[in-house]
Amino acid sequence: MKKSSYFINSKEETISFGVKISSFLVKGDVITLNGDLAAGKTTFVKGVGKGLGIKDEINSPTFNILKCYFNKPLPLYHIDAYRLEDVNEENKNIGLEEVIYGDGVCLVEWPQFIKEFLDFNTLLSVEIKVIDENKREFIFSTNNDEHYEKLFNFLGEEKWTHYI
């Protein structure tokens, strides 16, 4: 298992960080985002979307559960599973599995509520901890070391020390 931790000091840095991460993503990648309300999960998704060239405004799909941003060459699927917390497994079958490992990149907020659709051995997990009003700790981990090797090598480069 690989794991890396970074401190980010603003929403702008979070977006910039997401842009950088997006360059390592390929079709079928799944990133789970864990953290308290207002930790910066959707802000990070905005950065990833910007890096993928998505021009649409990216905002939280809390009430929609899923928002799709069809873009070439790589679509972005943004799932906010928070509203599925108390929904039984049978009623969660709303087509999420079709986009999770589909033709784009999928970012999932509150993944614990749809864990039956996720393969935790293949995805990238990002935990966001609130340090103070602006500062966040981003903890990246994966069991899929080989697939995310280039990303973790990049995250370990010295140029990211200004985030630490």
Side-chain angles (χ1 to χ4, degrees):
M1 172 186 251
K2 289 192 183 245
K3 192 171 188 177
S4 292
S5 179
Y6 303 90
F7 292 93
I8 296 179
N9 298 303
S10 68
K11 288 181 180 182
E12 295 77 23
E13 282 187 13
T14 301
I15 290 172
S16 177
F17 197 55
V19 169
K20 297 288 186 187
I21 298 303
S22 71
S23 66
F24 294 94
L25 302 177
V26 298
K27 174 183 170 182
D29 279 350
V30 176
I31 300 174
T32 60
L33 300 166
N34 296 286
D36 292 335
L37 289 170
K41 297 179 293 293
T42 299
T43 303
F44 179 75
V45 175
K46 287 179 183 188
V48 171
K50 183 177 181 180
L52 294 176
I54 294 168
K55 304 291 185 219
D56 297 332
E57 180 182 345
I58 294 175
N59 49 35
S60 179
T62 301
F63 295 102
N64 298 6
I65 299 172
L66 168 67
K67 286 196 175 181
C68 304
Y69 302 93
F70 298 107
N71 187 59
K72 293 195 178 189
L74 204 54
L76 171 68
Y77 302 104
H78 184 193
I79 298 171
D80 184 332
Y82 186 76
R83 300 258 177 242
L84 298 175
E85 178 180 14
D86 295 322
V87 176
N88 66 37
E89 192 170 327
E90 291 174 3
N91 293 327
K92 288 182 187 178
N93 191 7
I94 56 175
L96 294 179
E97 66 278 357
E98 294 173 16
V99 298
I100 290 174
Y101 293 100
D103 64 345
V105 173
C106 184
L107 285 92
V108 182
E109 297 185 34
W110 306 99
Q112 66 271 29
F113 301 133
I114 59 166
K115 61 185 174 206
E116 62 272 19
F117 297 114
L118 301 170
D119 180 353
F120 287 91
N121 290 313
T122 63
L123 55 75
L124 178 67
S125 176
V126 180
E127 181 180 358
I128 305 171
K129 293 184 178 181
V130 176
I131 306 301
D132 64 30
E133 184 178 335
N134 295 309
K135 191 172 188 175
R136 305 292 189 262
E137 180 182 15
F138 281 67
I139 303 165
F140 289 77
S141 62
T142 188
N143 289 320
N144 196 354
D145 295 359
E146 187 176 320
H147 179 75
Y148 290 107
E149 181 177 7
K150 288 181 183 177
L151 171 62
F152 275 86
N153 287 341
F154 171 75
L155 292 173
E157 290 179 3
E158 190 173 328
K159 65 182 166 184
W160 284 104
T161 57
H162 71 280
Y163 285 105
I164 298 173

